[in-house]
Amino acid sequence: MQYNHTCRNYEQIIIHPALLAIRYLALASCIVITGCAKYSYQTDPIDPIQSQQQHISLTPEDAEFRKYVLTHFPNREFPVKSWELSLLTLAAFYFNPAIQIAQSELDIIDAELIIAGQKPNPTIDLPVEYKTEPGGSPWLFGLIGDFIFERPEKRKAKVDIVRAKRQAKEIALLQLGWSLYHNMHRDMINYYAQVEVGKYLTQQKKLLIEILDVLVQRLEFGQTSEFELSRVRLELQRVELALSNQGFQINDSQHKLFSNTGLLTTNINNNDVSFDQLTQHLNVLNNMNIDKGDSAL
């Protein structure tokens, strides 16, 4: 009787607390494993149809674009009546896909910066093996913990590397913005030149028509020859052909100008372009060249 009583005391004092501790340990291990689990993320494939629809829906009447423009030009009126160089540049900074991709890459680096500054999480694994050797239980259980103690200097070095990467990406973004402005300025000059050539050809056509009318009247009075009349007619046909080709050149240069913005010309209600800022730049440049020439003399 005393022996049985001693066994019961032994079970209550040692075995039951040990089993309870094992249960709590198993429960804590499951919780830690769940918290430290590694999730795998997979990016969704790009839907070309959806991307095309998003690109087609881009319009300068977008409310966010208006806010963006008003932060730079508070007195700007909408809807847009004419596009000048500054407004086209802002549209390129806002809508151009290359700018959006570069900004997305900056956001990714910002996330990497947060991760680089965090302490590494401990990991706990519960391996299970099955053995075919006879004797004992065929199942083998274990508990593996991985606790990484990272020095603050190493973590700071990781943060510095990501920050340097971000600075390089910021410089690349600034270079991209400057390249867009350069292309916009160049295409604006080209479009301006094509429009001026078209105006010149239109004036030339108008003068040739007036000359032709005068020659027809003079031919009736015998004051000119048929050869002179034919020569003017041929010149008029040449100018009309050049004017027709120039219309294609003007349209092409306009599409090239607006392509820098990332907008479709069909989504731009008003394609009128103002050359006031461009002519001001050209006048300043001409004045600088004149001043240099005077100083050289």
Side-chain angles (χ1 to χ4, degrees):
M1 295 291 294
Q2 187 176 3
Y3 175 76
N4 293 333
H5 181 70
T6 303
C7 291
R8 292 194 189 95
N9 292 337
Y10 178 78
E11 291 177 357
Q12 293 177 355
I13 296 173
I14 299 178
I15 297 178
H16 288 173
L19 292 174
L20 186 61
I22 292 174
R23 292 177 182 176
Y24 283 129
L25 180 61
L27 179 61
S29 300
C30 293
I31 295 173
V32 172
I33 290 172
T34 304
C36 299
K38 296 181 180 179
Y39 298 95
S40 60
Y41 297 93
Q42 292 183 352
T43 57
D44 295 333
I46 297 176
D47 187 357
I49 298 178
Q50 183 179 3
S51 300
Q52 184 180 7
Q53 290 177 350
Q54 291 177 353
H55 180 68
I56 293 175
S57 63
L58 296 178
T59 171
E61 303 302 325
D62 183 71
E64 294 298 327
F65 175 65
R66 291 190 180 189
K67 294 179 182 179
Y68 177 70
V69 173
L70 291 176
T71 56
H72 297 83
F73 301 101
N75 298 326
R76 183 74 199 188
E77 295 181 358
F78 286 90
V80 178
K81 296 181 180 179
S82 63
W83 293 85
E84 63 271 8
L85 182 61
S86 58
L87 185 59
L88 286 169
T89 304
L90 289 179
F93 290 163
Y94 189 86
F95 292 109
N96 193 283
I99 294 291
Q100 295 178 356
I101 292 174
Q103 290 176 342
S104 299
E105 292 175 349
L106 279 178
D107 295 336
I108 294 174
I109 295 177
D110 289 338
E112 293 178 359
L113 186 62
I114 296 175
I115 295 174
Q118 293 178 344
K119 296 180 180 179
N121 291 328
T123 59
I124 295 179
D125 191 12
L126 187 62
V128 179
E129 294 183 5
Y130 181 80
K131 299 189 301 180
T132 58
E133 290 82 358
S137 175
W139 294 99
L140 178 63
F141 300 91
L143 183 63
I144 300 176
D146 188 6
F147 299 90
I148 302 175
F149 298 95
E150 188 177 61
R151 293 181 302 168
E153 292 80 6
K154 183 178 180 180
R155 190 160 55 251
K156 182 178 180 299
K158 289 166 57 178
V159 172
D160 292 338
I161 292 173
V162 179
R163 284 178 177 172
K165 182 180 177 181
R166 193 184 196 285
Q167 290 178 355
K169 187 61 65 175
E170 288 178 349
I171 294 174
L173 179 59
L174 292 174
Q175 290 177 343
L176 177 60
W178 178 255
S179 177
L180 278 175
Y181 174 77
H182 169 73
N183 295 337
M184 190 73 70
H185 201 276
R186 178 200 60 199
D187 294 339
M188 175 73 85
I189 293 175
N190 181 47
Y191 180 52
Y192 174 73
Q194 298 298 335
V195 170
E196 291 298 314
V197 171
K199 291 180 180 178
Y200 168 76
L201 290 174
T202 301
Q203 288 181 340
Q204 191 175 6
K205 176 183 176 181
K206 182 179 178 180
L207 289 175
L208 287 173
I209 292 174
E210 293 177 355
I211 292 173
L212 187 61
D213 292 338
V214 173
L215 289 178
V216 170
Q217 294 177 4
R218 295 185 63 182
L219 182 63
E220 294 177 356
F221 294 99
Q223 296 178 354
T224 186
S225 63
E226 189 69 33
F227 174 78
E228 185 68 18
L229 189 63
S230 299
R231 188 183 65 82
V232 174
R233 284 175 176 170
L234 289 175
E235 183 65 17
L236 179 59
Q237 292 177 359
R238 186 192 66 80
V239 172
E240 288 176 343
L241 179 60
L243 187 59
S244 177
N245 293 331
Q246 189 61 27
F248 290 103
Q249 294 294 332
I250 293 174
N251 187 53
D252 182 69
S253 59
Q254 185 191 57
H255 280 268
K256 190 175 181 180
L257 175 64
F258 281 99
S259 66
N260 295 310
T261 64
L263 292 169
L264 297 177
T265 54
T266 54
N267 291 349
I268 302 174
N269 296 328
N270 194 342
N271 293 345
D272 293 338
V273 177
S274 174
F275 299 108
D276 293 341
Q277 292 181 347
L278 180 61
T279 53
Q280 291 176 3
H281 294 173
L282 294 176
N283 291 334
V284 171
L285 183 61
N286 291 332
N287 293 332
M288 290 175 61
N289 292 333
I290 292 174
D291 293 339
K292 290 181 179 179
D294 293 339
S295 61
L297 293 175

